[in-house]
Amino acid sequence: MKYLINEYVEDFGNAGSKARRDISSILGRNGTVVINLPYDSKKSHFSREVTTWKTLRTFWKKDTSRDEIIVQFPMRINKLDQLGVLNMLKGFHSKVIIIHDLESLRRNDISFVHSEVNILNRFDVVISHSDNMTKYLRQHGLTTQVRELYLFDYLANSRENDFGGVPTMKDEYKVFFAGNLEKSLFLERLPYSLNQMLYVYGLNATPKMTEDLSHFMGFVNSDELPNKLKNGWGLVWDGTSSQKPTGLLGKYLAYNAPHKTSLYIAANLPVIVWSGAANAQFIVDNYLGVSVDSLDQVQEKLKSLTADQRSKIVKSVAKFSAKLRSGNMILSVLRKED
């Protein structure tokens, strides 16, 4: 039997990170028993603690010596509850942890890495984003088995897009960007050529963005957004500069697998990524898009693609889109035997 720890917002449903919600949904639909632990609620802290520890005690008494437990990292429950979960692990035959974020990298604060690695080493298998992330963890003492995911799955409440060929002649150079726009200040400094072809979706646009962007499309819910992104390319970029991803978020691209990449591919869009991104080689090798050193290169890069290259990209993106929508990426990496 397989079990998954699912930290959720009580009274509001399974809110929070879509990547976490999708993994819980995928595994739950494929026979994994989901153990729900509330990490936020309208109820008192004491009431939440009672609920959590009652659940944990059930598994302390249960024979799980032939079972597998899956945890998503970082855990969002409080430190006391985390200790309860870590104690519960001891009874399981197999222990797997799926990384969503590493605070030591995301915040560029090495003081976090010791505690991160200490928790990860308690598991038999760590699911990392990329080879770069794995190397970083190895350098800081990770000793357990690691598997790389490279792309997160992306479930969507949407029909299958009519992906008749990207780029089409009509929309050959149409590019989409979606995200939290206050964290994407490079949008205030776009090359003219890219601004003319870029369609931007998201919240928290700055006044300069709303004034300068040629195609600002506003906010669309993440489950519905794939239906809006059709016949073009998806841009994965971060930071303040159009020349190279900068700042903490920009540097993080060298290690993580952005969920934005999965959004685009799920919507049947090939992607444009920074050449220094952790998954750039994976994207290029699997014909899922192109890589560029700077945003100045986007237009010329798209123009330089041959008909054969476009055809390969179209076919591969359609194939991976189906995988992401069905949860194939996480299921495959969990089944993998090293």
Side-chain angles (χ1 to χ4, degrees), residues 230-241:
K230 294 184 178 182
N231 297 323
W233 299 76
L235 176 65
V236 184
W237 204 266
D238 238 322
T240 60
S241 173

Side-chain angles (χ1 to χ4, degrees), residues 99-115:
I99 297 174
H100 286 281
D101 276 306
L102 289 176
E103 293 303 305
S104 59
L105 284 174
R106 194 172 69 87
R107 300 188 189 189
N108 195 28
D109 187 343
I110 204 68
S111 67
F112 285 93
V113 74
H114 177 74
S115 61

Side-chain angles (χ1 to χ4, degrees), residues 134-150:
T134 300
K135 288 177 181 176
Y136 168 82
L137 290 169
R138 292 290 191 212
Q139 289 168 0
H140 290 90
L142 185 71
T143 58
T144 195
Q145 180 189 140
V146 181
R147 302 171 190 168
E148 285 86 20
L149 186 59
Y150 291 106

